[in-house]
Amino acid sequence: MQPPPPQHKSKTRIFPVVLGRLAVAGLLGLAILSCLIWAGMVAVPRHLNPFAPLHIADEVNWLTRIKLSRLEGDGSQCLAVLENSDVSYKPIADRRSDDGCGLSNAVEIAGASRAVSRSFTASCPLAVAWAMFDEHVVGPAARRHLGQDVARMIHAGTYACRNINHRAQGRRSEHATANAIDIAGFVLADGREVDVKRDWEGEDQRRAAFLRAVRDGACRFFDVVLSPDYNEAHHDHFHFDMGSYRACR
């Protein structure tokens, strides 16, 4: 009687086991590394440290949005970010409202590295996102496409107790809690103005490219970015907000 043939483990069974063990080992190593970074035993650059507070001047990476999202639930940390920047601001007292138009952890912004057409009220997370947009997007895009810097941003308002698209019924706009800002144009260093309404589809390709770079760059910081590509209601401005939805149009 012949002995039974030797049993061989199927490669299809071994492969998932190996992958599973590698995944567990990787997760364990990541957890240990995170603990060492948190304890300060492993030094990493601030912008690559998930536990380090956000700084507006930090290099932007995949951690930036995570750090921005944390500020929505931490008012004191959000104000600390503004305090460690060149943003000119002052806190505004909370304002309760039964109509969905209250203010919480809001500030009044007067300017940053680029001035604004007039001061505006903003939720603190919106103010931080705007300051990072100003620092990392507006200036670099203007120098790349227009050969000069932006002297001033022209905004069309932030705080307005209204519904979306001014409708009589429906959901409150992010503007109702100063959690949104509309940008109509930019004044360049030489005094010329780049206007969203005129230049988005205008003859000057450099200005059009600048505006699209601004729109695309804004999506790195704001939760919702709407441009003339979105609908007719935004044919003359950009809408940026820090609401509960995500859109880049």
Side-chain angles (χ1 to χ4, degrees), residues 13-31:
R13 295 180 182 178
I14 296 176
F15 193 60
V17 173
V18 172
L19 283 180
R21 290 177 178 175
L22 288 175
V24 171
L27 290 173
L28 181 60
L30 182 61

Side-chain angles (χ1 to χ4, degrees), residues 26-243:
L27 290 173
L28 181 60
L30 182 61
I32 294 173
L33 178 61
S34 297
C35 290
L36 293 175
I37 294 174
W38 179 80
M41 299 176 67
V42 173
V44 296
R46 187 177 61 200
H47 68 284
L48 296 176
N49 186 343
F51 306 106
L54 179 68
H55 280 243
I56 288 171
D58 281 350
E59 181 180 332
V60 179
N61 57 35
W62 64 274
L63 286 171
T64 303
R65 288 206 62 87
I66 296 175
K67 293 184 178 184
L68 274 171
S69 66
R70 291 175 185 166
L71 302 181
E72 297 179 16
D74 192 337
S76 59
Q77 181 60 45
C78 188
L79 291 175
V81 174
L82 292 178
E83 184 67 25
N84 291 320
S85 71
D86 63 353
V87 176
S88 176
Y89 78 99
K90 63 179 181 180
I92 295 176
D94 289 354
R95 187 184 309 165
R96 294 188 176 183
S97 172
D98 294 330
D99 58 3
C101 295
L103 293 176
S104 177
N105 194 34
V107 295
E108 182 177 348
I109 297 293
S113 56
R114 268 154 289 280
V116 288
S117 52
R118 63 186 188 279
S119 62
F120 61 86
T121 299
S123 66
C124 186
L126 178 72
V128 172
W130 172 79
M132 297 199 75
F133 162 73
D134 175 50
E135 173 79 16
H136 298 283
V137 176
V138 177
R143 292 188 290 271
R144 182 169 65 253
H145 294 286
L146 303 173
Q148 59 180 303
D149 213 334
V150 166
R152 187 169 73 254
M153 284 192 278
I154 303 171
H155 74 86
T158 54
Y159 182 55
C161 185
R162 62 174 177 83
N163 295 333
I164 295 175
N165 293 332
H166 300 274
R167 294 170 181 164
Q169 303 294 328
R171 184 166 55 88
R172 283 297 193 194
S173 166
E174 293 297 327
H175 285 286
T177 53
N179 205 30
I181 185 170
D182 293 337
I183 302 293
F186 305 84
V187 178
L188 303 177
D190 64 4
R192 291 181 297 166
E193 183 177 324
V194 179
D195 182 78
V196 174
K197 179 179 180 180
R198 181 191 63 223
D199 295 318
W200 184 260
E201 296 290 353
E203 295 180 359
D204 192 323
Q205 296 301 309
R206 295 182 306 163
R207 293 188 177 202
F210 163 71
L211 289 174
R212 280 161 176 77
V214 165
R215 188 270 310 275
D216 295 345
C219 297
R220 302 166 72 187
F221 306 106
F222 299 98
D223 289 330
V224 172
V225 173
L226 303 179
S227 72
D229 280 349
Y230 179 57
N231 61 14
E232 179 60 26
H234 295 84
H235 74 283
D236 60 354
H237 70 279
F238 295 135
H239 169 93
F240 305 145
D241 76 49
M242 299 297 286

